[in-house]
Amino acid sequence: MSWVNVIFLIYQIIAIMAVIHVIMDNRQPAKTMAWVLVIWFVPVVGIVFYLFFGLNTRKERHISERSMSQLTKRSMLEFAEQQNLRLPDRHRPLIDLFINQNLALPFKDNKVEIYTDGYQFFPALLAAIHKAKSHIHIDMYIFAEDALGCLVADALIAKAHEGVEVRLIYDDVGCWNVRHRFFERMREEGIEVVSFLPVRFPSFTSKVNYRNHRKIIVIDGSIGFVGGMNIALRYVKGTGSQPWRDTMIQVTGGAVYALQRAFLVDWYFVDRTLLSDRKYYPQLSSDRGVLVNNCLAQVVTSTPVTPYPEIMQGFVRVILGARRYLYLETPYFLPNDSVLFALKTAALAGVDVRVLCPRYSDARFVEWASRSYLREVVAAGIKVSLYEEGFLHSKLMVCDDAITTCGSTNLDFRSFENNFEANIFFYDEGIALRMKKIFLRDEERSVLLSNLPGRMNGGFFVRLWESVTRMLSPLF
């Protein structure tokens, strides 16, 4: 037997083992079949792609129950001290779902500011950093080494010199193009900086697939930020000729405890240091002097290492519970079967379902793959609009003037199944009406997909290519 035949035989054995591994993972049949086809019909490259993007770690447990209890006991204590907390009956199933699945406790009496671009958000962030007295915690997918990133870094260094505790988690893959020297300088100046799941040979493989996509900032345990914006200049100026449209939430009140808990859990994940001092959960205060039962909120996180995709479950629950309308903004529209079925079911039941996406995406593969999904939901009666005044990176959902959510979660496979994500859910009419107004304003700056015949009725080869990219979309 020649050495060529030996190599071929070895490869066949490896490919069969990889296929068996995919089948034994018991995923959705469509995703299983897609990986089997890629591994078998794309020699070598298919297996490499599976090692990078296909290994499933949801069954792994990276944080012990004891550590989780220690990390959450302060939040539990403050939750127990919330006087006269009333949970609305209409939202109890969703609230209980998040409590049972995610230990996401509801907090009342929150004050909310909504920022729709970087010109609003970053001055507010820098002002909050300037006022910090105790600690600054940042959990960020991208922290760029550009003019804005350096400005924020200098502000953080200045606070570290004042004795303020500054901790930063950045995603290793999200910051691949950032020099290590940029973060090393912050470390040398007194900032605790840790990368999330660093990708290093030989233990890189599947780590590249599971990224911390969260955008959480907590200052002094009293001010929190969560949403879709990373720390990079393009979130202010946009890219090329495209302005950048995004949504970021600033919250003060009980929900900051939940944002703090999310950061501290991540900090333990990357640094194995338990932080549970009382100072990270300062006493709540009220501008009105008397706490009331308004603006109820839950911060929900999801990870690929928990038994269930919590945020996706919440999305499905909200969609199927909609009675009048459901408005969604997302930069990428690649819904999995559960979310796609829920959206079509709601629309066919007479709910006014609207989806808003960017007309021109920053990822061509995703844009191609999303077109067939968009055509499918239009056929089910969903109103799809494409934002024309820049790149829409906003991730928000508002339903029936009652529930709204904003965070880092895209409406795609990666956010639902592979990424570490964070969203805040509000059960408050006032916040819902504000988010609804933002959505309707964005919709005015958009064009209906049905008014773009080229997008709706592409030629045979265009549709074939879109279908191929859609078939592969669960893999990425």
Side-chain angles (χ1 to χ4, degrees):
M1 182 179 293
S2 68
W3 65 269
V4 175
N5 291 332
V6 171
I7 293 176
F8 179 75
L9 179 61
I10 293 174
Y11 176 79
Q12 291 288 89
I13 294 173
I14 295 174
I16 291 171
M17 292 174 62
V19 168
I20 292 173
H21 189 274
V22 173
I23 294 172
M24 293 292 290
D25 206 31
N26 294 322
R27 311 180 201 206
Q28 295 177 355
K31 194 168 186 177
T32 299
M33 184 57 67
W35 274 119
V36 169
L37 291 174
V38 167
I39 291 171
W40 198 255
F41 291 105
V42 186
V44 181
V45 175
I47 291 179
V48 172
F49 265 67
Y50 180 66
L51 291 174
F52 269 90
F53 302 109
L55 294 179
N56 185 5
T57 65
R58 185 167 293 281
K59 298 176 183 178
E60 298 178 14
R61 297 192 63 82
H62 291 274
I63 299 180
S64 69
E65 292 295 334
R66 179 180 179 184
S67 297
M68 181 64 76
S69 176
Q70 289 180 272
L71 287 166
T72 58
K73 66 180 180 181
R74 289 294 182 185
S75 296
M76 293 287 286
L77 176 61
E78 297 300 338
F79 171 66
E81 291 182 354
Q82 291 190 94
Q83 297 180 2
N84 302 317
L85 175 65
R86 298 185 303 275
L87 302 181
D89 290 338
R90 64 181 296 194
H91 302 316
R92 280 300 291 266
L94 181 60
I95 293 172
D96 288 343
L97 170 69
F98 290 143
I99 293 173
N100 295 333
Q101 296 288 69
N102 195 249
L103 292 178
L105 304 177
F107 290 95
K108 64 189 181 78
D109 305 320
N110 296 288
K111 183 179 178 182
V112 176
E113 296 290 338
I114 305 173
Y115 305 114
T116 56
D117 59 52
Y119 290 101
Q120 298 173 351
F121 165 58
F122 288 106
L125 172 61
L126 289 168
I129 290 173
H130 177 71
K131 295 176 182 177
K133 301 298 182 183
S134 172
H135 60 274
I136 300 170
H137 291 161
I138 299 178
D139 198 346
M140 198 63 51
Y141 178 61
I142 297 173
F143 198 129
E145 187 183 7
D146 56 23
L148 180 63
C150 291
L151 179 63
V152 175
D154 288 342
L156 295 175
I157 289 171
K159 299 310 293 187
H161 289 173
E162 293 177 13
V164 175
E165 297 177 9
V166 183
R167 297 181 178 89
L168 167 64
I169 302 172
Y170 70 91
D171 187 79
D172 192 70
V173 172
C175 296
W176 254 351
N177 60 346
V178 179
R179 295 181 305 164
H180 290 293
R181 179 59 191 159
F182 177 70
F183 296 112
E184 192 58 37
R185 171 175 171 258
M186 286 191 267
R187 292 188 184 96
E188 292 171 354
E189 299 292 346
I191 298 174
E192 295 185 65
V193 183
V194 183
S195 64
F196 186 90
L197 287 183
V199 179
R200 301 288 184 270
F201 187 84
S203 60
F204 59 92
T205 58
S206 63
K207 284 186 179 181
V208 76
N209 199 33
Y210 299 105
R211 307 318 314 166
N212 189 340
H213 193 243
R214 295 169 184 161
K215 293 91 177 170
I216 296 174
I217 302 171
V218 180
I219 297 175
D220 287 346
S222 60
I223 299 176
F225 297 91
V226 62
M229 293 194 208
N230 292 290
I231 298 176
L233 191 60
R234 64 177 176 272
Y235 290 83
V236 178
K237 290 189 172 182
T239 56
S241 60
Q242 283 204 103
W244 197 281
R245 162 70 186 92
D246 219 322
T247 304
M248 201 76 178
I249 299 290
Q250 176 184 319
V251 60
T252 55
V256 182
Y257 288 162
L259 290 173
Q260 185 78 287
R261 175 211 162 208
F263 175 86
L264 295 181
V265 169
D266 276 359
W267 188 257
Y268 179 79
F269 186 89
V270 298
D271 194 64
R272 284 298 185 263
T273 303
L274 283 170
L275 301 175
S276 58
D277 193 281
R278 182 68 176 83
K279 68 181 178 180
Y280 300 121
Y281 298 99
Q283 185 66 39
L284 282 174
S285 62
S286 172
D287 294 336
R288 296 171 295 278
V290 179
L291 293 178
V292 295
N293 198 77
N294 69 352
C295 196
L296 193 67
Q298 278 180 295
V299 173
V300 183
T301 58
S302 64
T303 81
V305 296
T306 50
Y308 300 98
E310 297 94 334
I311 293 178
M312 189 206 78
Q313 287 179 314
F315 275 36
V316 171
R317 183 86 199 189
V318 173
I319 294 167
L320 292 178
R323 294 296 176 263
R324 295 190 291 116
Y325 76 85
L326 181 86
Y327 299 161
L328 283 159
E329 286 188 356
T330 179
Y332 315 112
F333 189 75
L334 300 171
N336 59 15
D337 290 343
S338 300
V339 174
L340 183 63
F341 182 77
L343 287 170
K344 293 194 292 185
T345 299
L348 292 170
V351 178
D352 178 15
V353 182
R354 305 184 190 183
V355 174
L356 191 57
C357 299
R359 180 165 184 177
Y360 301 105
S361 176
D362 64 340
R364 293 292 293 171
F365 182 93
V366 174
E367 183 177 343
W368 289 323
S370 68
R371 289 179 186 175
S372 63
Y373 285 106
L374 292 174
R375 279 198 296 267
E376 183 175 341
V377 297
V378 167
I382 294 175
K383 183 180 178 182
V384 175
S385 299
L386 303 179
Y387 188 76
E388 292 194 299
E389 293 194 6
F391 177 57
L392 180 74
H393 192 253
S394 173
K395 312 134 193 315
L396 66 84
M397 176 169 64
V398 59
C399 175
D400 290 347
D401 294 348
I403 300 176
T404 187
T405 183
C406 178
S408 62
T409 308
N410 299 312
L411 211 71
D412 63 15
F413 293 92
R414 175 161 294 281
S415 277
F416 289 148
E417 300 178 15
N418 294 341
N419 286 344
F420 292 71
E421 304 282 7
N423 269 49
I424 188 165
F425 286 74
F426 293 103
Y427 310 94
D428 181 81
E429 182 179 2
I431 301 298
L433 290 174
R434 289 164 66 185
M435 282 291 196
K436 179 182 180 181
K437 183 178 180 180
I438 291 171
F439 178 92
L440 293 176
R441 183 184 65 197
D442 290 337
E443 192 178 47
E444 291 175 356
R445 300 170 180 175
S446 307
V447 60
L448 281 171
L449 178 63
S450 56
N451 290 341
L452 297 173
R455 292 290 183 100
M456 292 296 293
N457 301 300
F460 171 78
F461 289 106
V462 171
R463 286 180 174 247
L464 176 61
W465 174 243
E466 291 173 1
S467 296
V468 170
T469 56
R470 171 172 172 160
M471 179 184 68
L472 297 176
S473 61
L475 311 185
F476 304 105

